[in-house]
Amino acid sequence: MTPPGTGVRATARIVARDDGRGGTALPVLESDGPLALRRTRGSGAETRVMLVGAMSGPLGGDHFTVEADVLKGARLRLGSAAATIALPGQTKGEARYDVRLTVADGGELHWLPEQLISAGGSDLCVTTRIDLGATSRLVLREEQVLGRAGEEPGRLSSRLVLRVAGRTVLDQELACGPGAPGGWDGPAVLAGHRAVGQLLVVRPEFAEEPVTAQVLGQGAIVVPLAGPAALVTAVAPDALLLRRVLDEALATLSA
């Protein structure tokens, strides 16, 4: 039981493995507190899991963790049923949301949650750490929306770390909202936009044929990373336009 005044602690865990029959099995599918995992209909060798929020949050003082481990030859698509809304809570201090993703050689993971909305008065720190094998495949999308309609945002810090075959190829952090370092809303960062997103694509063939750095429409850019990876960063006035930009970027990378 969580001690009074310390917020909610919850960890959801998924392990995906090759079932030996051309599909993917889930020997571990553990929900916890507000983090409810539901298996949905997959396609071919891919298994799909939906993360369903069973309560509001994260609130101030909460600490949520999602862990997914994709073993050799398994294919997992993991999404969420609705946007996550960071809210102020009765407990003082920041909330934390940690995502830990591991994909073995020959495994494939698509991590495609809905938007994270930073409501006014909230304070949330999000950390996503990914460890991949040399021949793993990954598509990861992160979208943050600063404030609800007509609302100033809360404080949001987001860190994204990618390691491939034990080598760090990406470690970036962005802080926005009250108390964040100056300039976060200036022309060099968000330039007044209220939706920001990243699309991270890792494929073994990118090691031999790196993605070409280029501007994608207005407010988006794709850059190659060291090793078999590419990163798209985008800003937009709202969540709908941000999703459209990231979907078009993924189509470009998949062509």
Side-chain angles (χ1 to χ4, degrees):
M1 180 178 295
T2 302
T6 61
V8 175
R9 303 291 190 271
T11 299
R13 296 184 62 243
I14 305 166
V15 175
R17 65 169 175 80
D18 185 347
D19 66 4
R21 304 188 301 274
T24 297
L26 299 175
V28 177
L29 188 66
E30 297 180 355
S31 302
D32 187 14
L35 301 175
L37 297 171
R38 301 288 183 265
R39 182 169 184 167
T40 61
R41 179 173 295 182
S43 176
E46 181 184 78
T47 290
R48 299 187 179 189
V49 174
M50 194 68 66
L51 180 62
V52 180
M55 60 182 286
S56 297
L59 309 178
D62 291 350
H63 190 173
F64 295 171
T65 303
V66 176
E67 299 177 352
D69 189 4
V70 180
L71 305 182
K72 183 177 180 179
R75 296 180 60 188
L76 175 65
R77 179 180 292 261
L78 180 57
S80 61
T84 297
I85 305 178
L87 297 166
Q90 295 180 344
T91 301
K92 299 294 184 181
E94 71 175 12
R96 295 190 59 85
Y97 201 127
D98 294 333
V99 178
R100 301 167 186 163
L101 309 173
T102 303
V103 186
D105 282 326
E108 182 171 345
L109 173 64
H110 289 225
W111 169 241
L112 303 169
E114 293 302 308
Q115 297 91 357
L116 169 63
I117 301 173
S118 175
S122 64
D123 186 356
L124 177 63
C125 177
V126 181
T127 302
T128 302
R129 296 182 181 274
I130 311 118
D131 279 283
L132 305 181
T135 60
S136 303
R137 293 177 176 270
L138 173 78
V139 175
L140 177 144
R141 183 186 67 218
E142 287 191 341
E143 300 166 311
Q144 292 98 29
V145 180
L146 305 180
R148 293 169 290 192
E151 175 186 63
E152 288 299 313
R155 188 179 191 281
L156 175 64
S157 63
S158 176
R159 185 179 180 189
L160 179 60
V161 181
L162 169 67
R163 289 167 55 86
V164 178
R167 178 187 180 190
T168 299
V169 298
L170 176 68
D171 189 344
Q172 71 172 25
E173 186 169 358
L174 175 66
C176 305
W184 66 269
D185 201 22
V189 188
L190 297 189
H193 293 92
R194 283 296 177 265
V196 57
Q198 294 77 232
L199 179 70
L200 187 57
V201 180
V202 182
R203 293 178 180 150
E205 51 266 33
F206 286 172
E208 298 297 328
E209 298 182 9
V211 170
T212 301
Q214 58 182 307
V215 175
L216 301 175
Q218 294 184 344
I221 186 170
V222 57
V223 294
L225 302 177
L231 175 69
V232 177
T233 302
V235 295
D238 57 47
L240 182 63
L241 289 175
L242 177 66
R243 176 65 58 84
R244 185 181 303 166
V245 169
L246 293 178
D247 283 348
E248 290 174 355
L250 181 58
T252 297
L253 291 174
S254 300

